[in-house]
Amino acid sequence: MFFRMVKGALFRQRGKMLMIAFTIALGASLATAMLNVMLDVGDKVNQELKAYGANIRVVPQGRAVISQMYDVEGEENAQSQYLAENELGNIKTIFWAFNIVDFAPFLDTQCTLNSEKENIKVTGTWFTHHLSLPTGEELDAGMVSLRSWWEIDGTWIDDNKDPNVKEAMVGADIARKYGLKPGDTLKLSCGKKAENVNIKAVFSSDGEEDSVIYVPLALAQMLSDKKGLVSSIDVSALTTPDNELAKKAAQKGPSSLSKSDYETWYCTAYSSSICYQIQEVITNSVASQVRQVTESEGSILEKTQLLMLLITILSLIGSALGISNLVTASVMERSKEIGLLKAIGANDGPISGLILTEIIITSIFGGIIGYFVGLGFAQIIGHTVFNSAIDIKPMVIPIVAVLVVTVTLVGSLPAVKMLLGLRPTEVLHGR
Amino acid sequence: MSLLEVKNISKIYGSLKALDNVSLKVEKGDWLAIMGPSGSGKSTMMNIIGAMDKPTLGQVILDGKDISKESSKSLTQIRRDKIGLIFQQFHLVNYLTALENVMVAQYYHSIPDEKEAMEALERVGLADRAKHLPAQLSGGEQQRVCIARALINYPEIILADEPTGNLDEANENMVIDIFRQLHKDGSTLIVVTHDPEVAEVAQKTIVLEHGKVAREVINNEK
Ligand SMILES: Nc1ncnc2c1ncn2[C@@H]1O[C@H](COP(=O)(O)OP(=O)(O)OP(=O)(O)O)[C@@H](O)[C@H]1O
Ligand SMILES: [Mg+2]
C-alpha cells in the first residue's frame, strides 16, 4: 500500500512532481557544472600558464662549472659536457612529476647557410615529442607548447611521426637577412657534415631566438656528430613560491637541513626541490631556476581557484535556497492531505515516511538529470572560456548527491514537522 | 453502560464559550442528529467526540474510557480504532483512486485488503467507479467514497459533519439511504446537519444554541 501511495503521488501528480524535479535538476546541474569547472580550472590555468615558457634550465655539470669559473668552453670531457637524451623521460618520474608541465631538450651547433660565410646558431630540439613513460603516462613534450607564443608564418615541424625529418624553423631576423621564407630549401653546412632542409616556418619570438634556426634534435645530433646527446633542457614546472626553508635549502644545499625540514622541503613543490629532484634523475646535471614568474603563476592559480570556489559556493547556496523553497512550498500545500491522514488514524512516523520518500525519489530523479545536464554546462563553459573540454571529475557525483539530498531534506523536514504539529481539525474544516 | 457519554463539557476559546456545559449519552446502535444555527458549536462537539480535539472542561467517555485528557498520540489510535469520520468537504486523497482511498484507512488501521475495500464500495454503490480518481467523481460519489472509507474498519461510532451540505437532493437521498442501512445493521451514527429532512430520519435530534443544548426531539419511528 505504501508503494501504491508513493506511486500514486508521483505518477498521478506528474506535473507537480516534474516541476519539483526540474527545479532540483536545475540546482544540481548548476552545482555539477560549477564543481567540475572549479576542480578542473587548476589544470586549465596550468595549461594557459605553460604558454609563458620554461622556468627551469638543466645543463651538464661540466658546462655549468666551467662557464662559471673560466667563462670558456672546454671540450676535454664529453661526459660532463652533455646530457643523455634517453634520460629525459626520467624528469616525469620525479616526486613532483605532476608539476612538470612540459620540457624540451636542446643541442646547439654552428652552421653556415647555403653559400654564405657567417656562422649561424642551429639548435636541435623536440617540437612535439610523444613520450610513453614507464609509469604508463603519455605526454607530448616540446616547443609547440613550450613556445606557444611564437608567431608562426608556416606550420610547426612535426617530429613526432618521423623524428628524422629534414625540416627547419627559421628565426625572423635570419629570415629577413637572407631572404628566407617557408617552403624554401636551405643548405646547412656544419663542419664536416651538411644537409638540405625544407623551411617549414619563419617564427618571431621578439627575443634572441629570432636569430636561431631550430631543427629536429636528431638532425642536429647528426650534423654535430653528437648522437644521443643534448646540451641543455628547458623545463616548465609549477612551483610553490619560495619561503625561508626553500631559500635556506637553495643557498646552503639540502644537506644543511634537519631531517624533518628536509622531508618538508623535498615534499613541497619549491623550485629548488624540483631542481634537486631533476638532478637526481639526470646524470651529471645541474638544474637551476631561470625565471621567477613561478611565484605569480602560483598566485594566479590560487586566485583563480579561490574565485571559482567563491562562485561555486554562491551558486550552491543559490540552488539550495531555490530547491528548499520549492520543497517547503510543496509540502505545505499538502496540509489538507496530512490532516486527513491524521484524522483517519495515521501516526506521525508513517506520514513523514510517505512524504519524505516521495521527495527523495523526486530529488534523486531530478538530481540525476541535473548531473548530466550539468556536465553539458561544464563543457559549454570549458569551450567558451578555455577552448577545451572540462575533465569530468567523479568526485563531483557524491558531492552533488549529498548536496541534493541534504537540501531537499532540510527544505522538507521543517515543513513536515510543522504540518504534523497541526491538529486535523485546523486543516479539515476550512474555516 | 453507554457507548458514549459526554459529561458537562465546555470548550472555551478566549471569552467565547463554543460549548457550554453540554451533557449527552449515546447508546450502541443509536442514530443521533445534531442541529442548530451556524456557530452554535456543532462542529466543535463533533471534533471532541471524534477524538480530534479536547474539551476545556468535562469528560468524554467512549467505550468506557475517558478520552478527554489523552495525549494526541493515543487520540490518533482511538480515531483509528473506534471512529469513522465523514466530512462536508469529502476530503479524499486526490492522487489515489476511490478504491485506494478506502484502502488507505485499512492501511493505517491494520493491513489493506483490496477485496474488502471493494465490498465497501459496493455497499455504497460505487463498485464500477473503483478505479476513478476523486477529480473524476461527482460530489455525491466522492461523499459515498468517504462513507465507504469511514465504514471500512468497523468503527464503534460513525461521525458525519454535514455530510449532505454539498450535495443535491438525489445524492442526499442516496446518503440518507446508506445511513438507514447502516442503522439497520446496528451501526452507531451521529450526524450534524442543517437539513430537517436529514435530521428527522434519525431517532433523536439535539438542537444546540450558543453552545448549549436547547432542546431534544424524539422522532417517531417510521
Ligand atoms: N479554533 C477556534 N478558535 C476560536 N474560536 C473557534 C475555534 N473553532 C471554533 N470557534 C468558534 O466556536 C464557535 C462554534 O464553532 P463551530 O464550528 O462548532 O460551529 P458550527 O455549529 O459547526 O457552525 P456551522 O454550522 O457554521 O458549521 C464559533 O463561534 C467559532 O467561531
Ligand atoms: Mg460546523
Side-chain angles (χ1 to χ4, degrees):
Chain A
M1 190 64 211
F2 180 76
F3 290 104
R4 234 166 134 166
M5 292 174 77
V6 170
K7 216 176 83 189
L10 293 180
F11 288 97
R12 301 207 183 110
Q13 316 185 89
R14 231 167 297 143
K16 217 158 90 189
M17 290 301 177
L18 279 179
M19 192 60 217
I20 299 173
F22 178 73
T23 307
I24 293 171
L26 214 62
S29 69
L30 193 60
T32 307
M34 294 316 283
L35 283 170
N36 267 309
V37 171
M38 186 192 87
L39 293 173
D40 203 38
V41 77
D43 293 351
K44 287 282 173 287
V45 172
N46 282 357
Q47 278 163 16
E48 302 267 320
L49 289 174
K50 203 160 117 175
Y52 293 101
N55 49 356
I56 289 175
R57 174 150 300 154
V58 188
V59 297
Q61 236 165 37
R63 221 170 263 247
V65 175
I66 289 167
S67 57
Q68 272 164 21
M69 287 168 62
Y70 310 107
D71 207 11
V72 289
E73 294 208 358
E75 286 275 332
E76 68 274 14
N77 187 356
Q79 277 278 295
S80 60
Q81 293 295 310
Y82 293 97
L83 304 169
E85 185 190 354
N86 60 15
E87 286 184 341
L88 281 171
N90 294 352
I91 292 178
K92 278 296 272 185
T93 63
I94 65 170
F95 184 79
W96 282 108
F98 188 69
N99 282 36
I100 306 281
V101 285
D102 203 357
F103 58 94
F106 299 102
L107 178 64
D108 297 336
T109 179
Q110 301 283 326
C111 304
T112 56
L113 309 184
N114 297 334
S115 50
E116 307 285 344
K117 292 266 162 358
E118 197 187 1
N119 264 336
I120 304 288
K121 187 172 170 187
V122 173
T123 302
T125 187
W126 289 348
F127 294 89
T128 54
H129 188 88
H130 189 79
L131 288 171
S132 298
L133 302 170
T135 56
E137 205 182 331
E138 305 275 319
L139 172 77
D140 281 312
M143 299 291 271
V144 173
S145 48
L146 211 55
R147 297 285 190 273
S148 59
W149 74 93
W150 277 4
E151 279 178 36
I152 303 277
D153 178 15
T155 54
W156 282 98
I157 292 173
D158 182 3
D159 57 343
N160 193 26
K161 268 196 229 103
D162 175 12
N164 295 307
V165 283
K166 306 282 182 278
E167 289 172 341
M169 289 180 75
V170 179
D173 289 353
I174 298 179
R176 208 174 303 118
K177 195 163 168 189
Y178 298 101
L180 302 172
K181 56 185 191 305
D184 289 355
T185 307
L186 184 65
K187 187 179 179 209
L188 294 174
S189 315
C190 322
K192 285 163 251 166
K193 305 261 170 92
E195 189 68 61
N196 283 327
V197 295
N198 182 19
I199 299 178
K200 282 289 275 188
V202 170
F203 65 85
S204 163
S205 73
D206 286 326
E208 287 174 20
E209 292 173 325
D210 284 357
S211 43
V212 178
I213 294 176
Y214 282 93
V215 297
L217 183 63
L219 182 61
Q221 286 170 340
M222 190 271 284
L223 288 170
S224 60
D225 217 0
K226 301 275 186 323
K227 210 157 176 35
L229 301 177
V230 303
S231 50
S232 68
I233 307 167
D234 270 10
V235 179
S236 173
L238 290 168
T239 58
T240 307
D242 281 358
N243 61 4
E244 284 308 314
L245 178 64
K247 284 190 188 118
K248 192 175 159 202
Q251 280 162 12
K252 298 185 187 154
S255 50
S256 68
L257 299 175
S258 72
K259 193 161 184 295
S260 68
D261 274 359
Y262 176 82
E263 248 151 44
T264 315
W265 171 78
Y266 196 90
C267 298
T268 310
Y270 299 123
S271 59
S272 55
S273 63
I274 291 179
C275 287
Y276 182 78
Q277 290 168 20
I278 291 174
Q279 285 168 202
E280 287 180 329
V281 295
I282 308 265
T283 318
N284 290 328
S285 67
V286 174
S288 52
Q289 191 178 12
V290 291
R291 198 166 50 91
Q292 281 292 344
V293 295
T294 49
E295 283 193 23
S296 59
E297 279 175 23
S299 70
I300 286 174
L301 187 58
E302 269 168 29
K303 280 179 185 152
T304 319
Q305 272 173 331
L306 185 67
L307 186 68
M308 281 303 296
L309 183 70
L310 289 179
I311 295 175
T312 308
I313 290 174
L314 283 181
S315 61
L316 293 187
I317 292 175
S319 47
L321 283 179
I323 294 173
S324 64
N325 244 338
L326 186 74
V327 168
T328 307
S330 80
V331 173
M332 295 302 285
E333 232 175 45
R334 303 175 69 172
S335 62
K336 272 233 160 80
E337 181 193 334
I338 292 179
L340 171 71
L341 294 181
K342 287 185 81 167
I344 63 176
N347 279 321
D348 292 359
I351 296 181
S352 330
L354 178 72
I355 290 180
L356 292 181
T357 307
E358 287 167 25
I359 290 284
I360 286 174
I361 291 177
T362 312
S363 73
I364 290 173
F365 178 70
I368 290 173
I369 292 179
Y371 175 74
F372 288 104
V373 172
L375 292 185
F377 281 158
Q379 298 312 336
I380 293 174
I381 295 175
H383 282 284
T384 45
V385 180
F386 301 109
N387 278 322
S388 65
I390 298 282
D391 263 3
I392 295 167
K393 307 277 193 236
M395 71 177 283
V396 170
I397 297 175
I399 299 181
V400 171
V402 167
L403 185 87
V404 166
V405 171
T406 321
V407 164
T408 42
L409 283 185
V410 165
S412 48
L413 272 181
V416 171
K417 205 168 161 233
M418 209 216 103
L419 291 183
L420 289 177
L422 286 178
R423 273 171 306 148
T425 52
E426 291 172 64
V427 283
L428 290 185
H429 300 278
R431 254 189 277 267
Chain B
M1 187 188 61
S2 309
L3 174 62
L4 172 76
E5 192 173 354
V6 173
K7 282 186 188 164
N8 307 98
I9 57 164
S10 298
K11 181 74 182 177
I12 301 167
Y13 295 112
S15 60
L16 178 94
K17 285 190 170 170
L19 286 177
D20 188 0
N21 202 17
V22 177
S23 294
L24 187 69
K25 264 189 187 171
V26 179
E27 303 300 330
K28 198 164 169 50
D30 274 1
W31 184 358
L32 177 73
I34 300 176
M35 289 189 77
S38 185
S40 57
K42 305 183 297 294
S43 295
T44 308
M45 178 85 165
M46 289 295 259
N47 290 340
I48 291 171
I49 298 172
M52 293 201 284
D53 209 346
K54 287 187 246 186
T56 316
L57 297 169
Q59 283 183 313
V60 180
I61 294 158
L62 177 65
D63 216 4
K65 191 175 172 195
D66 184 4
I67 63 166
S68 56
K69 309 223 158 30
E70 290 289 331
S71 71
S72 64
K73 199 168 168 198
S74 53
L75 285 183
T76 303
Q77 190 171 348
I78 289 162
R79 285 200 295 277
R80 187 170 65 207
D81 295 341
K82 306 213 150 109
I83 290 163
L85 291 167
I86 299 166
F87 312 93
Q88 181 175 1
Q89 285 105 343
F90 322 142
H91 293 305
L92 294 170
V93 180
N94 58 21
Y95 54 81
L96 296 178
T97 62
L99 181 68
E100 286 165 346
N101 263 289
V102 177
M103 288 167 71
V104 164
Q106 292 178 314
Y107 171 62
Y108 288 119
H109 178 265
S110 45
I111 32 164
D113 178 343
E114 193 161 342
K115 206 168 135 256
E116 207 183 333
M118 200 64 205
E119 281 164 14
L121 282 180
E122 268 163 32
R123 278 170 83 186
V124 297
L126 280 178
D128 56 334
R129 293 291 152 92
K131 295 273 185 284
H132 287 58
L133 292 174
Q136 300 162 331
L137 297 173
S138 75
E141 287 165 340
Q142 288 185 47
Q143 190 59 299
R144 277 140 68 195
V145 175
C146 272
I147 296 172
R149 181 180 63 195
L151 303 180
I152 193 70
N153 296 320
Y154 305 103
E156 303 279 356
I157 303 188
I158 295 166
L159 300 178
D161 193 350
E162 299 193 33
T164 58
N166 284 339
L167 299 182
D168 66 4
E169 181 97 23
N171 278 297
E172 182 180 305
N173 288 333
M174 221 176 288
V175 169
I176 291 173
D177 283 343
I178 295 171
F179 284 167
R180 271 209 188 98
Q181 188 60 45
L182 287 173
H183 177 61
K184 219 173 92 192
D185 295 346
S187 296
T188 311
L189 282 164
I190 302 179
V191 180
V192 165
T193 185
H194 278 292
D195 189 333
E197 279 185 44
V198 177
E200 74 192 13
V201 289
Q203 294 169 304
K204 186 164 92 172
T205 304
I206 285 178
V207 180
L208 285 181
E209 261 165 34
H210 303 294
K212 287 190 167 110
V213 180
R215 66 202 124 83
E216 276 187 40
V217 184
I218 310 287
N219 298 315
N220 303 322
E221 294 271 356
K222 284 176 199 157

